Amino acid sequence: QGINKPMQQEMNLSNRLLNGINILLVEDNPLNQVVAKGLLEQFGAHIDQAWNGKEALELISQGNRQYQLIMLDIQMPVMDGYSTCHALNERGNKVPIIAMTAGVLSSEREHCERMGMQGFVPKPIEIQTLLSEIQRLLPTADGPKAPLDIDSTPIEHTLFYPERLLQHINQQEQIDSVVQGIRQLVDAS
């Protein structure tokens, strides 16, 4: 058991990149939430979750945690990503926002930029694309980090799919957490 060598190298680099980073994940798809949370926590980040923009604004207003990054789904019920970004900007938000969307047209990317989102990651999310966007948006006290070596990562490690994530997590606690999240989803439906 364990993690193969290329994945371990990727995780070691990612741990340095995300260690101690607080991320607010705003995503209405329960499976996407479970997978994103499991993956980013595996790489050292702390993740808070919101089901929609309204919940995200409430979490931010509570002020219990300072976020370094907001990952924002564009198409959500109650309050979509565009409305959420607009509300955040009206409040003087300085936290970088990465838009996550199935739309990959350049017009959608441009609209996200005009709305004030600094990053853009198309779905399905490619892990290296997401990590590169995070690295680009988060300044560090010790200067810029070396770019992630996207080309050296095997293709089976790049897509954000639960079955691929589970193949590479070797810590039982994280496996149990992901399985528990999936069971809750099944029980709720």
Short mmCIF file of all heavy atoms in Angstrom, two decimals, residues 31 53 155:
data_model
loop_
_atom_site.label_atom_id
_atom_site.label_comp_id
_atom_site.label_asym_id
_atom_site.label_seq_id
_atom_site.Cartn_x
_atom_site.Cartn_y
_atom_site.Cartn_z
N LEU A 31 -20.73 15.83 -3.88
CA LEU A 31 -19.59 14.98 -4.22
C LEU A 31 -18.36 15.84 -4.52
O LEU A 31 -17.25 15.52 -4.07
CB LEU A 31 -19.93 14.07 -5.40
CG LEU A 31 -18.87 13.03 -5.74
CD1 LEU A 31 -18.53 12.15 -4.54
CD2 LEU A 31 -19.33 12.18 -6.91
N GLY A 53 -23.48 30.92 -2.22
CA GLY A 53 -22.89 32.21 -1.91
C GLY A 53 -23.40 32.83 -0.63
O GLY A 53 -22.65 33.48 0.11
N ILE A 155 -0.92 11.39 -16.06
CA ILE A 155 -2.28 11.80 -16.34
C ILE A 155 -3.28 11.25 -15.33
O ILE A 155 -4.25 11.92 -14.99
CB ILE A 155 -2.69 11.41 -17.78
CG1 ILE A 155 -4.05 12.07 -18.14
CG2 ILE A 155 -2.79 9.91 -17.96
CD1 ILE A 155 -3.99 13.56 -18.27
#
